[in-house]
Amino acid sequence: MILVTGGAGYIGSHCVIQLLEQGNDVVVFDSLEVGHIETIETLQNSFKQNFKGFVKGNLQNFEEINQVFKQYKIDAVVHFAAFSQVGESVENPQKYYFNNVYGSLNLFRAMLENSVKKIVFSSTAATYGEPVYTPIDEGHPQNPINPYGSSKLMIEKILDDYDKAYGLKSVRLRYFNVAGADSKSRIGEWHEPETHLIPNILKSTFSGGQTFKMFGTDYDTVDGTCVRDYINVEDLINAHLLALKYLNNGGETNYFNLGTTDGNSVKQVFTACEKVTQKQIPVDVQGRRAGDPATLVADNKKAKSVLNWTPEKTLEESVKTAYEWESVLQNRLNN
Ligand code: UFG
């Protein structure tokens, strides 16, 4: 049985679906502060047999998470539960350190007390901070520039120490920009408020949507807008399943970048959205958003060679599934 923390959220729920589709038993723990009960209901209804339970709880309460390990026979954990908004983390670091770091400490304590020694952890490119060189490989210095990135880096360091002292084996996956949705549109990205590029462009094409705001056109990049590495969410989750396999085969604690190595500018993403939606989308060009580095692109050789991972989906495919999901979501919200 696999425990997925944060399984009601955007990336966590895609992991739950893939685990279930591959025949694993899954239990989800989520506070529903960011995740949605509707997502859990979709997962439960689609996979009645292997979806073994949903526990609404908060990692900041040790007893709530410890109880899950007492109730279910957990073999490994995939840990997504976290707050992830960079801007909010600067304004309210306490929220991030308590939830992300203290919550993870409680999870690891419950794992150790119940002799569960394998974890795949959702980390981020934000642990690298302002890039010193590009593409970014795993040897790039980790100097986060906001509390969100710092909270994730602290957890990475805790996991190193817990391996040395207690034999807790971890794989830390450092995500670049995650994009797209379930190819059957059962679930997808659903943040309130939404801050990410692709859903914001797409939302603006629906009635009542706000005009898309483009932040900054004077960066030192191909067309003046920020360049990011958009990795499809299903490709990304595939790496989590390979990471679990790696740990099950006795793999040592390790860490990998998850990206495509392909950079796309905000304008290029915008063009892809116009192509997929077949709409001319109005733009409101604004100044730079604080804290955005010009370029963030992954070197993914390590994940390819050690985990045997190959991202397959193009940016356009991600935009297409994101658009299909956004239509489902808009329908749901407006009815
Ligand atoms: N952008 C816009 N308009 C919007 C939203 C975004 O122009 O409405 C621009 C941003 O300014 C940026 C690019 O689109 O240049 C990408 O922005 P996102 O917010 O989609 O993604 P980020 O690169 O800021 O953040 C992502 C993850 C974070 C993670 C970070 C790592 O969402 O969780 O990468 O640096 F911390």
Side-chain angles (χ1 to χ4, degrees):
M1 174 108 54
I2 313 287
L3 166 65
V4 179
T5 73
Y10 167 42
I11 304 174
S13 60
H14 286 81
C15 183
V16 174
I17 283 212
Q18 271 194 39
L19 284 167
L20 291 167
E21 278 179 341
Q22 297 203 0
N24 297 282
D25 288 344
V26 175
V27 56
V28 170
F29 184 89
D30 198 299
S31 69
L32 298 183
E33 288 164 285
V34 181
H36 300 274
I37 191 66
E38 291 87 341
T39 305
I40 295 295
E41 286 161 2
T42 302
L43 298 169
Q44 261 165 345
N45 295 334
S46 314
F47 301 92
K48 292 203 168 68
Q49 228 190 331
N50 294 113
F51 192 98
K52 295 298 181 192
F54 165 62
V55 179
K56 181 173 182 293
N58 197 310
L59 288 177
Q60 289 181 58
N61 183 327
F62 173 69
E63 285 311 323
E64 283 182 6
I65 184 62
N66 200 34
Q67 193 50 39
V68 177
F69 287 89
K70 302 283 177 223
Q71 193 179 344
Y72 298 91
K73 172 91 198 64
I74 310 287
D75 300 300
V77 178
V78 191
H79 177 32
F80 295 95
F83 293 135
S84 64
Q85 285 189 35
V86 170
E88 184 188 56
S89 80
V90 175
E91 282 155 28
N92 193 357
Q94 182 167 241
K95 178 173 174 182
Y96 278 70
Y97 291 123
F98 264 90
N99 186 71
N100 296 4
V101 183
Y102 180 58
S104 296
L105 283 168
N106 278 333
L107 170 66
F108 304 157
R109 179 179 160 202
M111 289 177 68
L112 294 174
E113 284 195 11
N114 295 281
S115 307
V116 178
K117 298 276 180 83
K118 286 176 282 199
I119 183 165
V120 175
F121 171 61
S122 162
S123 188
T124 169
T127 59
Y128 294 117
E130 193 67 43
V132 179
Y133 57 83
T134 187
I136 296 174
D137 58 18
E138 289 82 353
H140 186 284
Q142 285 181 295
N143 292 313
I145 54 169
N146 52 63
Y148 165 64
S150 296
S151 74
K152 291 283 185 174
L153 181 57
M154 285 176 192
I155 301 162
E156 287 209 22
K157 289 188 185 299
I158 291 165
L159 284 169
D160 270 336
D161 293 341
Y162 279 27
D163 181 14
K164 287 186 200 107
Y166 314 122
L168 181 69
K169 300 293 173 198
S170 68
V171 170
R172 285 107 60 166
L173 299 174
R174 297 177 187 153
Y175 310 160
F176 282 67
N177 288 56
V178 188
D182 172 41
S183 38
K184 294 182 187 153
S185 301
R186 291 166 292 190
I187 53 169
E189 192 161 7
W190 181 3
H191 295 120
E192 285 165 2
E194 186 53 75
T195 60
H196 294 106
L197 178 63
I198 295 173
N200 274 350
I201 300 174
L202 296 175
K203 277 180 199 299
S204 75
T205 69
F206 288 86
S207 75
Q210 292 183 353
T211 306
F212 165 64
K213 296 187 176 78
M214 186 180 279
F215 300 130
T217 51
D218 60 349
Y219 288 93
D220 183 16
T221 58
V222 59
D223 57 20
T225 62
C226 287
V227 170
R228 294 288 181 274
D229 184 336
Y230 295 88
I231 174 73
N232 178 272
V233 67
E234 291 185 329
D235 280 340
L236 179 103
I237 293 305
N238 194 19
H240 294 63
L241 274 72
L242 292 168
L244 280 171
K245 194 167 143 195
Y246 165 91
L247 288 173
N248 284 333
N249 289 339
E252 286 299 322
T253 287
N254 218 330
Y255 44 88
F256 303 96
N257 284 342
L258 298 182
T260 65
T261 74
D262 241 355
N264 278 284
S265 73
V266 171
K267 281 187 179 163
Q268 286 164 339
V269 172
F270 181 80
T271 303
C273 290
E274 286 200 317
K275 186 168 171 209
V276 167
T277 61
Q278 302 200 316
K279 288 181 178 161
Q280 265 209 322
I281 306 176
V283 193
D284 174 5
V285 175
Q286 304 227 336
R288 293 182 177 197
R289 187 174 71 174
D292 278 340
T295 302
L296 276 177
V297 176
D299 177 322
N300 66 7
K301 284 191 209 79
K302 192 177 169 197
K304 280 184 158 170
S305 71
V306 179
L307 296 178
N308 210 6
W309 176 64
T310 323
E312 282 165 357
K313 296 200 164 74
T314 61
L315 172 67
E316 222 169 273
E317 286 172 290
S318 292
V319 171
K320 186 169 172 289
T321 52
Y323 186 49
E324 285 161 356
W325 159 252
E326 193 60 43
S327 312
V328 171
L329 182 62
Q330 292 295 328
N331 227 338
R332 190 183 288 175
L333 297 176
N334 295 320
N335 285 306

PDB file of all heavy atoms in Angstrom, residues 107-123:
ATOM      1  N   LEU A 107       5.594  13.696   9.508  1.00  0.00           N
ATOM      2  CA  LEU A 107       5.421  12.550   8.611  1.00  0.00           C
ATOM      3  C   LEU A 107       6.601  11.581   8.767  1.00  0.00           C
ATOM      4  O   LEU A 107       6.404  10.363   8.898  1.00  0.00           O
ATOM      5  CB  LEU A 107       5.325  13.043   7.157  1.00  0.00           C
ATOM      6  CG  LEU A 107       5.377  11.955   6.086  1.00  0.00           C
ATOM      7  CD1 LEU A 107       4.142  11.042   6.152  1.00  0.00           C
ATOM      8  CD2 LEU A 107       5.479  12.579   4.683  1.00  0.00           C
ATOM      9  N   PHE A 108       7.821  12.108   8.762  1.00  0.00           N
ATOM     10  CA  PHE A 108       9.005  11.233   8.859  1.00  0.00           C
ATOM     11  C   PHE A 108       9.027  10.511  10.222  1.00  0.00           C
ATOM     12  O   PHE A 108       9.411   9.357  10.314  1.00  0.00           O
ATOM     13  CB  PHE A 108      10.300  12.029   8.669  1.00  0.00           C
ATOM     14  CG  PHE A 108      10.361  12.819   7.365  1.00  0.00           C
ATOM     15  CD1 PHE A 108      11.202  13.929   7.240  1.00  0.00           C
ATOM     16  CD2 PHE A 108       9.582  12.453   6.273  1.00  0.00           C
ATOM     17  CE1 PHE A 108      11.255  14.654   6.055  1.00  0.00           C
ATOM     18  CE2 PHE A 108       9.628  13.183   5.079  1.00  0.00           C
ATOM     19  CZ  PHE A 108      10.461  14.279   4.972  1.00  0.00           C
ATOM     20  N   ARG A 109       8.599  11.225  11.278  1.00  0.00           N
ATOM     21  CA  ARG A 109       8.558  10.597  12.607  1.00  0.00           C
ATOM     22  C   ARG A 109       7.575   9.424  12.607  1.00  0.00           C
ATOM     23  O   ARG A 109       7.878   8.334  13.118  1.00  0.00           O
ATOM     24  CB  ARG A 109       8.136  11.647  13.649  1.00  0.00           C
ATOM     25  CG  ARG A 109       8.034  11.092  15.034  1.00  0.00           C
ATOM     26  CD  ARG A 109       7.641  12.182  16.025  1.00  0.00           C
ATOM     27  NE  ARG A 109       7.093  11.581  17.236  1.00  0.00           N
ATOM     28  CZ  ARG A 109       6.295  12.212  18.090  1.00  0.00           C
ATOM     29  NH1 ARG A 109       5.941  13.467  17.875  1.00  0.00           N
ATOM     30  NH2 ARG A 109       5.840  11.598  19.160  1.00  0.00           N
ATOM     31  N   ALA A 110       6.414   9.646  11.986  1.00  0.00           N
ATOM     32  CA  ALA A 110       5.417   8.568  11.918  1.00  0.00           C
ATOM     33  C   ALA A 110       5.966   7.406  11.087  1.00  0.00           C
ATOM     34  O   ALA A 110       5.769   6.236  11.429  1.00  0.00           O
ATOM     35  CB  ALA A 110       4.117   9.093  11.323  1.00  0.00           C
ATOM     36  N   MET A 111       6.674   7.721  10.006  1.00  0.00           N
ATOM     37  CA  MET A 111       7.261   6.657   9.180  1.00  0.00           C
ATOM     38  C   MET A 111       8.241   5.832  10.012  1.00  0.00           C
ATOM     39  O   MET A 111       8.188   4.600  10.007  1.00  0.00           O
ATOM     40  CB  MET A 111       8.009   7.257   7.975  1.00  0.00           C
ATOM     41  CG  MET A 111       7.096   7.848   6.916  1.00  0.00           C
ATOM     42  SD  MET A 111       8.024   8.612   5.577  1.00  0.00           S
ATOM     43  CE  MET A 111       8.774   7.162   4.814  1.00  0.00           C
ATOM     44  N   LEU A 112       9.122   6.526  10.744  1.00  0.00           N
ATOM     45  CA  LEU A 112      10.146   5.811  11.517  1.00  0.00           C
ATOM     46  C   LEU A 112       9.516   4.981  12.626  1.00  0.00           C
ATOM     47  O   LEU A 112       9.905   3.830  12.846  1.00  0.00           O
ATOM     48  CB  LEU A 112      11.161   6.803  12.090  1.00  0.00           C
ATOM     49  CG  LEU A 112      12.021   7.520  11.034  1.00  0.00           C
ATOM     50  CD1 LEU A 112      12.896   8.581  11.671  1.00  0.00           C
ATOM     51  CD2 LEU A 112      12.876   6.524  10.249  1.00  0.00           C
ATOM     52  N   GLU A 113       8.506   5.549  13.297  1.00  0.00           N
ATOM     53  CA  GLU A 113       7.855   4.808  14.396  1.00  0.00           C
ATOM     54  C   GLU A 113       7.159   3.560  13.891  1.00  0.00           C
ATOM     55  O   GLU A 113       6.955   2.611  14.638  1.00  0.00           O
ATOM     56  CB  GLU A 113       6.839   5.706  15.132  1.00  0.00           C
ATOM     57  CG  GLU A 113       7.535   6.684  16.049  1.00  0.00           C
ATOM     58  CD  GLU A 113       6.614   7.347  17.065  1.00  0.00           C
ATOM     59  OE1 GLU A 113       5.449   6.924  17.228  1.00  0.00           O
ATOM     60  OE2 GLU A 113       7.088   8.314  17.684  1.00  0.00           O
ATOM     61  N   ASN A 114       6.786   3.594  12.613  1.00  0.00           N
ATOM     62  CA  ASN A 114       6.055   2.457  12.047  1.00  0.00           C
ATOM     63  C   ASN A 114       6.895   1.677  11.036  1.00  0.00           C
ATOM     64  O   ASN A 114       6.368   0.903  10.233  1.00  0.00           O
ATOM     65  CB  ASN A 114       4.749   2.950  11.422  1.00  0.00           C
ATOM     66  CG  ASN A 114       3.806   3.511  12.473  1.00  0.00           C
ATOM     67  OD1 ASN A 114       3.136   2.767  13.174  1.00  0.00           O
ATOM     68  ND2 ASN A 114       3.799   4.832  12.623  1.00  0.00           N
ATOM     69  N   SER A 115       8.222   1.899  11.086  1.00  0.00           N
ATOM     70  CA  SER A 115       9.188   1.155  10.273  1.00  0.00           C
ATOM     71  C   SER A 115       8.927   1.229   8.773  1.00  0.00           C
ATOM     72  O   SER A 115       9.082   0.234   8.060  1.00  0.00           O
ATOM     73  CB  SER A 115       9.235  -0.326  10.697  1.00  0.00           C
ATOM     74  OG  SER A 115       9.464  -0.417  12.066  1.00  0.00           O
ATOM     75  N   VAL A 116       8.527   2.384   8.292  1.00  0.00           N
ATOM     76  CA  VAL A 116       8.383   2.599   6.846  1.00  0.00           C
ATOM     77  C   VAL A 116       9.599   3.397   6.416  1.00  0.00           C
ATOM     78  O   VAL A 116       9.846   4.497   6.931  1.00  0.00           O
ATOM     79  CB  VAL A 116       7.065   3.346   6.517  1.00  0.00           C
ATOM     80  CG1 VAL A 116       6.953   3.616   5.012  1.00  0.00           C
ATOM     81  CG2 VAL A 116       5.869   2.530   7.011  1.00  0.00           C
ATOM     82  N   LYS A 117      10.385   2.872   5.475  1.00  0.00           N
ATOM     83  CA  LYS A 117      11.710   3.451   5.208  1.00  0.00           C
ATOM     84  C   LYS A 117      11.912   3.910   3.772  1.00  0.00           C
ATOM     85  O   LYS A 117      13.046   4.060   3.333  1.00  0.00           O
ATOM     86  CB  LYS A 117      12.793   2.409   5.578  1.00  0.00           C
ATOM     87  CG  LYS A 117      12.814   2.005   7.056  1.00  0.00           C
ATOM     88  CD  LYS A 117      13.624   3.017   7.861  1.00  0.00           C
ATOM     89  CE  LYS A 117      13.702   2.703   9.342  1.00  0.00           C
ATOM     90  NZ  LYS A 117      14.714   1.762   9.736  1.00  0.00           N
ATOM     91  N   LYS A 118      10.817   4.109   3.030  1.00  0.00           N
ATOM     92  CA  LYS A 118      10.959   4.545   1.625  1.00  0.00           C
ATOM     93  C   LYS A 118      10.039   5.726   1.341  1.00  0.00           C
ATOM     94  O   LYS A 118       8.832   5.638   1.598  1.00  0.00           O
ATOM     95  CB  LYS A 118      10.605   3.394   0.671  1.00  0.00           C
ATOM     96  CG  LYS A 118      11.680   2.316   0.609  1.00  0.00           C
ATOM     97  CD  LYS A 118      11.260   1.165  -0.254  1.00  0.00           C
ATOM     98  CE  LYS A 118      10.306   0.283   0.486  1.00  0.00           C
ATOM     99  NZ  LYS A 118      10.115  -1.055   0.009  1.00  0.00           N
ATOM    100  N   ILE A 119      10.620   6.784   0.777  1.00  0.00           N
ATOM    101  CA  ILE A 119       9.805   7.960   0.469  1.00  0.00           C
ATOM    102  C   ILE A 119      10.276   8.632  -0.819  1.00  0.00           C
ATOM    103  O   ILE A 119      11.474   8.781  -1.065  1.00  0.00           O
ATOM    104  CB  ILE A 119       9.806   8.963   1.646  1.00  0.00           C
ATOM    105  CG1 ILE A 119       8.878  10.162   1.343  1.00  0.00           C
ATOM    106  CG2 ILE A 119      11.215   9.445   1.983  1.00  0.00           C
ATOM    107  CD1 ILE A 119       8.547  11.004   2.557  1.00  0.00           C
ATOM    108  N   VAL A 120       9.295   9.032  -1.629  1.00  0.00           N
ATOM    109  CA  VAL A 120       9.568   9.871  -2.799  1.00  0.00           C
ATOM    110  C   VAL A 120       9.044  11.253  -2.435  1.00  0.00           C
ATOM    111  O   VAL A 120       7.877  11.404  -2.049  1.00  0.00           O
ATOM    112  CB  VAL A 120       8.859   9.324  -4.062  1.00  0.00           C
ATOM    113  CG1 VAL A 120       9.064  10.271  -5.240  1.00  0.00           C
ATOM    114  CG2 VAL A 120       9.383   7.928  -4.387  1.00  0.00           C
ATOM    115  N   PHE A 121       9.911  12.249  -2.536  1.00  0.00           N
ATOM    116  CA  PHE A 121       9.575  13.593  -2.052  1.00  0.00           C
ATOM    117  C   PHE A 121       9.541  14.593  -3.198  1.00  0.00           C
ATOM    118  O   PHE A 121      10.452  14.669  -4.023  1.00  0.00           O
ATOM    119  CB  PHE A 121      10.597  14.027  -0.992  1.00  0.00           C
ATOM    120  CG  PHE A 121      10.448  15.469  -0.591  1.00  0.00           C
ATOM    121  CD1 PHE A 121       9.270  15.922  -0.014  1.00  0.00           C
ATOM    122  CD2 PHE A 121      11.475  16.375  -0.801  1.00  0.00           C
ATOM    123  CE1 PHE A 121       9.116  17.266   0.345  1.00  0.00           C
ATOM    124  CE2 PHE A 121      11.336  17.711  -0.441  1.00  0.00           C
ATOM    125  CZ  PHE A 121      10.156  18.156   0.135  1.00  0.00           C
ATOM    126  N   SER A 122       8.464  15.396  -3.168  1.00  0.00           N
ATOM    127  CA  SER A 122       8.224  16.412  -4.178  1.00  0.00           C
ATOM    128  C   SER A 122       9.042  17.664  -3.846  1.00  0.00           C
ATOM    129  O   SER A 122       8.671  18.453  -2.998  1.00  0.00           O
ATOM    130  CB  SER A 122       6.716  16.666  -4.090  1.00  0.00           C
ATOM    131  OG  SER A 122       6.340  17.838  -4.659  1.00  0.00           O
ATOM    132  N   SER A 123      10.194  17.820  -4.528  1.00  0.00           N
ATOM    133  CA  SER A 123      11.016  19.014  -4.319  1.00  0.00           C
ATOM    134  C   SER A 123      10.884  19.922  -5.546  1.00  0.00           C
ATOM    135  O   SER A 123       9.997  19.711  -6.379  1.00  0.00           O
ATOM    136  CB  SER A 123      12.468  18.623  -4.052  1.00  0.00           C
ATOM    137  OG  SER A 123      13.210  19.767  -3.675  1.00  0.00           O
TER     138      SER A 123
END
